[in-house]
Amino acid sequence: MATENGFNVAVVGATGAVGEQMLKTLEEKDFPIDSLKLLSSKRSAGKKLTFKGEEVVVEEATPESFENVQLALFSAGGSVSKKLAPEAVKRGALVVDNTSAFRMDEEVPLIVPEVNEEALHEHKGIIANPNCSTIQMVVALQPLRERYGLKKVIVSTYQAVSGAGLEAVDEMRQQSRDILDGKPANPEVLPVGSDKKHYQIAYNAVPQIDVFQENGYTFEEMKMINETKKILEDSSLAVAATCVRLPVETGHSESVYVETEKKAASLEEFKKTMADGEGITLQDDPSEQLYPMAVDSVGLPDVFVGRIREDLDQENGYHLWVVSDNLVKGAAYNSVQIAESLVKLGILK
Ligand code: NAP
Ligand code: 3JM
């Protein structure tokens, strides 16, 4: 039961790149919290983090950590979620999971509140937060889907290094310094820590995010494809993705080609439809060189859309440039929005 003040909340992976944003978002949104547990691996247990001006000691995450917890926000990797999320649910907690562990599970709602908040009612204890690249794309697609209907989506991403965690950010910074100093790059983390080979990210573009699947797509690409169909509840929607890592610290950019069922009356109407979409900020004025850029998105919850053009050959074809902070709307902000929706809908009480 909630006390009169709020909820007993646990953040799993509190010392990570997403965890840091999670604490910031809970603070900024003033989410009602009665007690807060910050959990990590053994490595960071004992470390102190600050929440609303008070020090909180980080504890090692164990099944018992979730006794008396009502809301558990997980972002410590898929294997931690697979092991501990069921333990949290067993002890009565609602879990909002930021990993890919349960996203495609039929019993698990996959939620972007601007798009499918109502699906939260079908939860069985675990709610999944989609992949960062999927979230910003479906926020941009939602107003188009509502007004024109969607037929096909082809996306190429330009993804930031912070999406791969704090170690990857450190690696990019160190490599940049080393290369400028004329030293070798020495890659050890990217593109995927556990994969066979590692490649330089500084001054490079790497067309591999997450591990390769048998069909030649990477897991990140398949996450975008499958999650988009699930969130938009449209298995017949054609979706293709190519995911690329760039030496950008924060802010994912996406070039999105979309074919709609119905053609917009005019490009102006299409742009206004986009501008009126929930969570979207339109930045689109070629005469002023106005378009979204990763560096301008940092720390903000908006999905920025610009460079909107009609395709020159395909009727009902449009091109968009979609940018958002991958750790904010792409992860922490969306999770806390889900928590707020759970309260609003009377599911978390
Ligand atoms: P990160 O910076 O590497 O941080 C990893 C966090 O997980 C740290 O707090 C770490 O604690 C904790 N952790 C690692 N192993 C653990 C264990 N065995 N038990 C408990 N905690 C453990 O990574 P990140 O960028 O924050 O991402 C974390 C996870 O969030 C990712 O693996 C991914 O699944 C998910 N994620 C989702 C999105 C999204 O699109 N929604 C985006 C990015 C990440 P220590 O300090 O003790 O190491
Ligand atoms: C973003 O170690 C892991 O299982 C995490 C891999 C990962 C994921 C994932 O698959 O959960 C790193 C960065 C994600 C994600 O959001 O899909």
Side-chain angles (χ1 to χ4, degrees), residues 13-18 40-41 43-44 75-77 80 98-99 103 129-132 163 165-166 330-331:
T15 50
V18 177
S40 71
S41 78
R43 286 182 297 273
S44 293
S75 55
V80 176
N98 239 301
T99 79
R103 287 182 191 144
N129 188 88
N131 177 261
C132 38
L166 292 173

Side-chain angles (χ1 to χ4, degrees), residues 40 60 73 231 327:
S40 71
E60 183 186 355
L73 304 167
I231 297 163
L327 299 175

Side-chain angles (χ1 to χ4, degrees), residues 76-79 98-101 103 130-132 163-164 210 219-220 223 227:
S79 58
N98 239 301
T99 79
S100 58
R103 287 182 191 144
N131 177 261
C132 38
D210 218 321
F219 189 38
E220 186 83 349
K223 287 178 208 171
E227 293 177 19

